Amino acid sequence: MLPWLALCLAPTLHAAQVDLSQLAMEAHWLALGHYERGKLGGWRSYVDDDDFFFAADGDSDPAAELRATLQALYAAPSLGDRHPQCAFPARTRWLRERLGLHDLPAVDCTEYRTWYRDIAPHGTVLVFPAAYLNSPSSMFGHTLLRIDQADVDSNSTAMLSYALNFGAFIEGKDNSILYAWKGLMGGYPGLFALVPYREKLSEYSRLENRDLWEYRLNLTASETGRMVEHVWELKQIRFDYYFFDENCSYRLLELLEIARPGLELTDAFPLTAIPADTVRAVKQAGLVERIDYRPSHERELQTRSAPLNAAELDWTRRLADDGERLQSAEFQALPSERQALVQDAAFRLLRYEAGGTPRDEGDARRSYRLLRAINRNPPPPLAVERPPQPEEGHESRTWQLGLGSRGERAFAEYGLRMAYHDLGDNLAGFPLGAQIEILGLKLRQYERSHWQLQELNLANIRSLTPRSALLKPWSWQVGGGLQRVPGADGEQSLVGHLSGGAGGSWALGDAALAYALATVRLEHNADFAAQLAPALGFDGGLLWRNALGNLSLEAKGDYFHNGEVRRRLSLNQQWELSRNLGLRLSAARDFSQLGASDNELMLQLRWYHY
């Protein structure tokens, strides 16, 4: 009994010299337990896994968890790799340093030591794969950490580094709509994963054709090591996962706070954590010492094919489809320097189209022929123009104040959009033709203090990617919520709707594009006899990036099954007063077979902030 008694008393003797309840309130212990203040007081941990806690109420009582951890560290060394010291090296280090635990039993943590030695953490890079609208999980972009070894720069060993990622754990295959819904509502658990960086690089730049931004952080080797220690503690530990707040970016900010105690990065994100905003917060905290850019395969292809004329673009397509055409008399008649450009563009096109598909022998043969031709007649080095950095764009939340008139009635409009960008907003850091609006609210106050809900927008997403001679993506849009439409009594009626559409977009020079989409709409309208009324329609327009800001001209129409016809013409011009301040002029003409036709004019001040 005496050894067991000594084991139980050992942590108590140390604790007598320190107020453990006060120690448990220190920022670093709270960070190690991922604790936050509860909305109604007390504490709660973001961790949703009993295996992470020693105390029965450890997820809500940091002091109880500290005491239980302290006692667990004195368990018998014979437990080996299952010993609490092996499972929680970051907690062990911190408690040993803070309490002077020189009498902890010596434990051989073979698995942890081997894992840590293989990673050899020395430096940290924050990686931002740019937004990708065609994937619901990536439409806001994504962040992960790269853990580098000491020789990463001297020996160019970034491909041997490890990627530290937090993401939703998905069992089976959910469709995009179900994935988005479950991601919004916390339907997936979130897990940390540490995988070779080359695998993640391939996934983002090849499979999804996304630009990568790499922000080298000024964390020391010991700070990076402290963070990696804690990652071991999170192995197979589950968190709740939500797209907008408890997501990849928020979890990584927590890790950076563990790496460098005293950082307060997560405090700035009580509601949402949009990846671009979190990158901006890391930069503003003084953590970034260098920024590198890796263009996607798609951007490299676009850059290489930009100087080609129509005939050369046609040859690019033909060579990618049939490498034997390299020896044709027509192709050989081209000047040598033009052949070099076409061959390289064809190889990049073939590589782009093969991304994300199983290896194909035909593609491999064509790639080999093109590579041989490129080696015999190499093109000039490819110089991809570096686009604006994503964190240089406007901030994600938007307040709106507008004054206008509809028909003969003046109004004031007050709006709030939680995230994140529409077609008229400041374009720096965003692609032309991309729109993601989530949770937008608009209230109007007409004369004589008549208030009404003008719009409650749950989601409004548009991807207007231009088609070209080589790349022919579909443009699409989807949206849903509540909005005002012309009503039977001459007033506007509030209706619920789901809508979507697909079609094409075409670039008109470098600063403009035109688009045309066929649309569908499902509407609940009190003026209609049916509970749900379907409609087919169209949506087309022009976007122009000009010296003042962005201009859009749009024509759309809905033709309902019940005979109602609704059309709208609109013009919007935004003046960019600063990165986070804009002034927008909007003019519209509504036509309705059921209700009156009206003109609307509004001048709106838009303030972007987080």
Side-chain angles (χ1 to χ4, degrees):
M1 294 294 292
L2 288 178
W4 178 88
L5 181 60
L7 176 62
C8 292
L9 287 176
T12 306
L13 294 175
H14 290 286
Q17 303 170 18
V18 178
D19 184 346
L20 294 185
S21 295
Q22 183 177 352
L23 185 65
M25 294 299 103
E26 289 195 9
H28 195 65
W29 178 255
L30 295 174
L32 287 173
H34 297 265
Y35 292 105
E36 69 153 0
R37 282 287 186 185
K39 300 296 187 293
L40 301 177
W43 295 93
R44 78 170 186 100
S45 175
Y46 286 117
V47 178
D48 189 37
D49 197 318
D50 291 339
D51 291 340
F52 189 71
F53 303 101
F54 290 106
D57 55 350
D59 62 339
S60 59
D61 190 340
E65 182 62 19
L66 189 149
R67 294 188 186 96
T69 301
L70 184 58
Q71 182 166 329
L73 297 183
Y74 283 87
S78 59
L79 290 173
D81 286 309
R82 294 183 294 110
H83 196 283
Q85 291 185 38
C86 300
F88 293 92
R91 291 194 200 184
T92 302
R93 175 204 286 265
W94 187 75
L95 287 171
R96 180 186 288 117
E97 293 173 352
R98 293 293 286 114
L99 293 174
L101 302 180
H102 304 301
D103 59 345
L104 283 178
V107 184
D108 185 13
C109 302
T110 304
E111 290 183 8
Y112 168 68
R113 285 191 293 103
T114 302
W115 177 86
Y116 191 90
R117 184 176 60 248
D118 288 344
I119 297 169
H122 182 80
T124 306
V125 176
L126 176 65
V127 181
F128 182 87
Y132 182 68
L133 281 178
N134 290 327
S135 171
S137 64
S138 305
M139 61 178 60
F140 293 100
H142 180 62
T143 54
L144 61 144
L145 295 177
R146 194 182 81 206
I147 308 301
D148 287 341
Q149 300 174 349
D151 62 347
V152 65
D153 287 328
S154 59
N155 293 330
S156 300
T157 59
M159 292 301 104
L160 301 179
S161 298
Y162 283 83
L164 176 55
N165 184 65
F166 179 81
F169 176 69
I170 305 169
E171 295 180 298
K173 293 184 178 180
D174 290 341
N175 61 52
S176 295
I177 295 176
L178 181 59
Y179 181 87
W181 173 254
K182 292 174 73 173
L184 289 171
M185 303 307 294
Y188 295 116
L191 293 174
F192 281 96
L194 195 65
V195 299
Y197 182 59
R198 62 181 178 273
E199 293 182 10
K200 274 295 174 185
L201 189 65
S202 174
E203 176 184 337
Y204 287 121
S205 65
R206 180 173 64 87
L207 301 187
E208 293 187 346
N209 288 291
R210 301 163 68 178
D211 290 341
L212 285 179
W213 294 90
E214 298 175 338
Y215 301 80
R216 175 164 293 283
L217 306 183
N218 56 20
L219 297 182
T220 65
S222 61
E223 289 172 331
T224 299
R226 183 186 299 127
M227 178 174 62
V228 171
E229 278 183 342
H230 182 59
V231 171
W232 174 265
E233 300 179 340
L234 300 175
K235 198 172 52 169
Q236 297 303 311
I237 296 298
R238 297 187 173 213
F239 291 74
D240 289 333
Y241 183 90
Y242 296 89
F243 277 166
F244 291 133
D245 52 1
E246 297 178 35
N247 56 19
C248 61
S249 297
Y250 190 87
R251 293 278 89 89
L252 296 185
L253 294 183
E254 289 184 315
L255 293 185
L256 294 178
E257 291 177 339
I258 288 172
R260 181 172 291 176
L263 288 176
E264 296 180 349
L265 298 172
T266 56
D267 291 350
F269 301 96
L271 294 176
T272 59
I274 303 299
D277 290 328
T278 62
V279 171
R280 189 180 299 114
V282 169
K283 193 173 181 180
Q284 291 173 348
L287 289 171
V288 177
E289 66 177 28
R290 192 180 81 208
I291 302 175
D292 297 317
Y293 168 65
R294 292 178 183 266
S296 67
H297 289 174
E298 179 179 353
R299 191 178 292 271
E300 289 177 339
L301 171 61
Q302 291 172 336
T303 301
R304 178 57 84 197
S305 61
L308 303 182
N309 59 37
E312 292 166 340
L313 289 172
D314 181 60
W315 270 113
T316 299
R317 176 75 271 173
R318 293 161 69 185
L319 293 182
D321 292 338
D322 183 2
E324 293 183 0
R325 294 177 181 269
L326 285 164
Q327 306 305 320
S328 68
E330 296 92 339
F331 181 69
Q332 292 297 321
L334 294 176
S336 176
E337 64 276 10
R338 305 309 292 180
Q339 290 183 37
L341 293 176
V342 171
Q343 291 169 171
D344 191 54
F347 174 74
R348 295 178 186 277
L349 175 60
L350 188 59
R351 183 174 61 173
Y352 169 83
E353 293 180 335
T357 61
R359 176 180 170 83
D360 179 82
E361 290 299 325
D363 288 345
R365 287 193 297 271
R366 289 192 291 273
S367 295
Y368 179 69
R369 291 193 187 98
L370 287 167
L371 281 174
R372 289 183 60 188
I374 291 169
N375 288 333
R376 290 193 298 266
N377 182 17
L382 183 65
V384 178
E385 183 180 356
R386 183 165 166 154
Q389 293 159 202
E391 78 278 5
E392 293 178 352
H394 65 78
E395 299 189 24
S396 62
R397 194 165 299 140
T398 310
W399 293 92
Q400 304 148 25
L401 173 61
L403 297 175
S405 65
R406 182 175 181 86
E408 302 297 325
R409 304 171 63 195
F411 64 82
E413 183 173 284
Y414 313 93
L416 168 64
R417 183 184 67 196
M418 296 300 292
Y420 130 89
H421 178 78
D422 71 19
L423 299 180
D425 290 333
N426 189 332
L427 203 60
F430 297 88
L432 181 66
Q435 173 174 297
I436 306 175
E437 292 189 290
I438 303 293
L439 296 179
L441 173 68
K442 295 180 181 179
L443 299 174
R444 279 193 181 178
Q445 181 185 15
Y446 281 94
E447 298 166 342
R448 301 183 183 88
S449 291
H450 172 65
W451 289 80
Q452 70 179 30
L453 173 63
Q454 186 67 19
E455 182 178 292
L456 178 58
N457 177 29
L458 300 179
N460 190 354
I461 303 169
R462 309 182 84 177
S463 177
L464 306 179
T465 306
R467 299 167 70 87
S468 67
L470 300 180
L471 304 179
K472 302 184 183 299
W474 288 101
S475 293
W476 58 272
Q477 63 186 31
V478 62
L482 304 175
Q483 67 177 185
R484 294 280 173 179
V485 299
D489 56 359
E491 298 288 337
Q492 287 185 300
S493 299
L494 186 66
V495 305
H497 77 98
L498 289 173
S499 59
S505 302
W506 298 267
L508 305 176
D510 294 332
L513 66 84
Y515 62 93
L517 289 80
T519 63
V520 295
R521 183 180 176 95
L522 193 62
E523 182 173 297
H524 171 69
N525 190 328
D527 292 333
F528 295 165
Q531 287 292 314
L532 293 174
L536 298 177
F538 66 89
D539 189 350
L542 173 72
L543 302 178
W544 176 37
R545 173 68 173 171
N546 53 62
L548 298 175
N550 292 328
L551 180 143
S552 64
L553 178 62
E554 185 173 52
K556 58 194 305 184
D558 292 306
Y559 297 83
F560 286 86
H561 181 264
N562 61 13
E564 162 69 340
V565 176
R566 193 184 298 149
R567 295 184 296 272
R568 181 179 177 88
L569 292 174
S570 61
L571 173 69
N572 296 278
Q573 170 69 57
Q574 175 148 324
W575 287 266
E576 294 168 2
L577 305 180
S578 68
R579 179 172 70 93
N580 288 313
L581 193 65
L583 188 64
R584 182 175 300 184
L585 177 65
S586 302
R589 172 72 173 173
D590 287 314
F591 303 87
S592 172
Q593 189 164 309
L594 177 66
S597 298
D598 272 319
N599 296 322
E600 182 172 299
L601 184 67
M602 180 170 62
L603 186 64
Q604 184 183 77
L605 184 68
R606 301 172 68 87
W607 175 44
Y608 307 84
H609 84 108
Y610 186 83

